[in-house]
Amino acid sequence: MKWMLVLCVTLTGLSAVRAQTPSENSLDPKVIGKTPIDSWTTFNGDYTGQRYSTLTEISPANVDKIAAQWTFKIDSVGAQRGAPEPVIKCTPLLVNGVLYITIPDHVWALDASSGKELWHYDWVDHGGHLIGQRGVGMWKTTVYFLTPDNWLIALNATTGKELWRKNFADARKQYFSTAAPVVIKNHVIVGVGGDAMDMPGFLNSFDPETGALQWTWWSTPRAGDPALKTWPNAATSEHGGGMTWMPGTYDADLNLLYWPTGIQIRCSRGRAGRELTCGRNR
């Protein structure tokens, strides 16, 4: 099987991508989460989750002039464990003229003006689910990437060299990771998926320089949490679900983090209208 993905930039004569590829790519932590102007520094563009760009050069008056400028084909990765052909589910980051894109187990850095590959990082997972990967986070000169089998990987943003790795969930318990890390101040915050087995969901915060665990927040109450009294017993909270697989938002004025949790269940009846089949979707 040959895997092929296509990423197109559609700009003609517009200056949305101005910066040249730097010798060392670096992102000032003070601009992370700010309203996008000439960069896209986090999954949602800023911390609000609105995914809104302030650029005005593309308008109803000139939208008919948009045309593909380059195409980047991902055809260098082979089929893994019988996985289906992958699709790009990430939101690319754009920092100083460099695009960072992902699929499960892979990260690429591309020159945004030409589509030239600058580097490619390849991870071999052991037990993760290859259902999608939503992108990376960035802080200073480091890019952060989640693998399907729950490793947080820190990469040099300029070279793609691995700096450190941290395993934060057990893939043998059917936890898996698809999210884009959210970087807030000196915290790299990651969520986890795994609703199929009804394990408790959680968030972890890591030090961006060392990878040391800073804190863990559980979406179902643990021992010592006063909220545990609202559950029948401690054992039930071990099967509470509440996965944190989509990136959250952040209110800088209130210093509050907002994070969606949960699962989605779809049910359908058979032709006779008697059999009800339910499944969980991500």
Side-chain angles (χ1 to χ4, degrees):
M1 177 189 298
K2 184 178 180 181
W3 289 7
M4 182 176 294
L5 304 175
V6 178
L7 175 69
C8 295
V9 168
T10 54
L11 301 171
T12 54
L14 302 178
S15 55
V17 180
R18 296 183 176 88
Q20 300 298 314
T21 303
S23 57
E24 180 180 53
N25 203 4
S26 180
L27 176 61
D28 185 349
K30 294 181 181 179
V31 305
I32 299 175
K34 301 293 185 182
T35 302
I37 299 176
D38 57 0
S39 62
W40 197 269
T41 62
T42 190
F43 175 80
N44 286 316
D46 61 12
Y47 287 141
T48 69
Q50 297 182 70
R51 306 180 71 83
Y52 175 75
S53 172
T54 59
L55 297 178
T56 59
E57 291 185 53
I58 298 177
S59 68
N62 61 16
V63 68
D64 61 325
K65 296 181 173 60
I66 292 178
Q69 294 299 287
W70 54 259
T71 300
F72 178 75
K73 296 181 180 180
I74 299 176
D75 57 4
S76 60
V77 296
Q80 299 173 346
R81 294 187 281 105
E85 185 172 333
V87 295
I88 293 178
K89 293 185 177 181
C90 75
T91 295
L93 294 195
L94 174 62
V95 178
N96 296 322
V98 177
L99 283 168
Y100 298 93
I101 66 170
T102 66
I103 61 173
D105 290 331
H106 297 274
V107 186
W108 283 268
L110 309 176
D111 185 310
S113 62
S114 67
K116 176 184 176 182
E117 180 180 312
L118 302 176
W119 55 258
H120 170 211
Y121 177 81
D122 184 357
W123 171 262
V124 178
D125 70 87
H126 297 85
H129 296 280
L130 306 180
I131 62 174
Q133 215 297 322
R134 292 173 176 81
V136 296
M138 186 168 173
W139 183 84
K140 294 186 176 180
T141 58
T142 305
V143 167
Y144 304 94
F145 171 64
L146 299 188
T147 71
D149 52 347
N150 314 304
W151 288 83
L152 172 61
I153 309 292
L155 305 171
N156 180 282
T158 304
T159 65
K161 179 181 178 181
E162 184 179 315
L163 303 175
W164 49 258
R165 64 178 73 170
K166 297 290 180 178
N167 186 225
F168 58 91
D170 190 346
R172 295 172 297 180
K173 296 180 179 179
Q174 296 300 307
Y175 282 111
F176 57 91
S177 297
T178 63
V182 176
V183 180
I184 299 172
K185 299 180 179 179
N186 66 329
H187 306 286
V188 180
I189 302 171
V190 304
V192 69
D195 338 277
M197 302 302 291
D198 280 338
M199 304 86 69
F202 61 88
L203 290 178
N204 275 342
S205 176
F206 294 92
D207 184 287
E209 295 186 296
T210 67
L213 179 65
Q214 296 169 324
W215 52 258
T216 298
W217 175 84
W218 294 89
S219 59
T220 57
R222 328 306 299 148
D225 187 337
L228 188 58
K229 66 182 181 182
T230 65
W231 287 67
N233 51 58
T236 58
S237 72
E238 294 295 328
H239 304 278
M243 294 303 155
T244 53
W245 57 278
M246 283 298 290
T249 60
Y250 174 67
D251 187 321
D253 293 334
L254 299 177
N255 197 31
L256 287 179
L257 180 64
Y258 303 87
W259 212 280
T261 66
I263 58 176
Q264 179 184 7
I265 298 179
R266 290 197 309 182
C267 298
S268 59
R269 293 192 179 275
R271 292 184 178 180
R274 297 178 180 177
E275 297 181 359
L276 185 64
T277 302
C278 296
R280 300 175 186 230
N281 292 328
R282 298 197 61 72

